[in-house]
């Protein structure tokens, strides 16, 4: 039963990691790392698939080896973040408070990613 629960957590984490690729404020790396940890304890087949996946495996191995996100990934993440925030500030909200909040979030997330 424990392995099944860990496996489900791994699947949910993987799905959240995939969504995080497209949604700038949802972190991808922690979810992929959690998936790898869960699969290593619950499913050798899924762990092997994840670690050998052309995108996810490289991403996880890079983080495990260097304890950081690769620079091209950081640039894409920050770029997507700012595009999304900029479009939201211009087209979605009229409230100055929400605009300031969105820009503040973008600055803080950018600093976090780039560190």
């Amino acid at each position: 039963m424990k392995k099944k629960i860990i496996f489900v957590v791994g699947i949910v984490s993987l799905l959240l990691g995939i969504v995080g690729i497209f949604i700038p404020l949802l972190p991808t790396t922690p979810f992929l790392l959690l998936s790898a940890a869960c699969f290593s304890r619950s499913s050798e087949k899924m762990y092997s698939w994840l670690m050998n996946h052309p995108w996810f495996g490289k991403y996880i191995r890079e983080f495990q080896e260097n304890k950081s996100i690769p620079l091209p990934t950081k640039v894409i993440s920050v770029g997507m973040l700012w595009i999304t925030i900029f479009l939201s500030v211009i087209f979605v909200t009229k409230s100055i408070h929400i605009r300031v909040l969105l820009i503040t979030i973008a600055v803080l997330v950018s600093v976090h990613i780039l560190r």
Side-chain angles (χ1 to χ4, degrees):
M1 183 68 169
K2 184 179 174 183
K3 277 190 171 188
K4 289 181 183 179
I5 292 171
I6 293 172
F7 180 79
V8 169
V9 170
I11 292 291
V12 170
S13 178
L14 177 61
L15 293 174
L16 288 171
I18 292 169
V19 171
I21 294 170
F22 304 101
I23 309 247
L25 295 178
L26 190 64
T28 300
T29 304
F31 288 122
L32 291 180
L33 293 173
L34 177 59
S35 294
C38 289
F39 292 149
S40 73
R41 290 167 179 77
S42 65
S43 172
E44 187 64 39
K45 183 178 178 180
M46 283 299 291
Y47 179 73
S48 178
W49 172 82
L50 185 62
M51 294 307 290
N52 292 312
H53 191 275
W55 294 339
F56 307 138
K58 180 181 174 187
Y59 199 65
I60 294 167
R61 283 190 303 278
E62 176 73 27
F63 190 85
Q64 287 175 336
E65 292 169 8
N66 299 322
K67 302 292 186 224
S68 67
I69 301 170
L71 183 59
T73 304
K74 288 182 180 187
V75 170
I76 291 169
S77 298
V78 171
M80 291 297 293
L81 170 70
W82 279 99
I83 289 169
T84 304
I85 295 294
F86 178 75
L87 293 174
S88 296
V89 165
I90 299 300
F91 298 112
V92 176
T93 184
K94 301 293 182 211
S95 168
I96 189 71
H97 300 305
I98 300 297
R99 288 177 174 180
V100 169
L101 178 64
L102 288 172
I103 291 170
T104 302
I105 290 170
V107 168
L108 295 174
V109 171
S110 296
V111 168
H112 175 71
I113 289 173
L114 295 173
R115 290 180 78 218

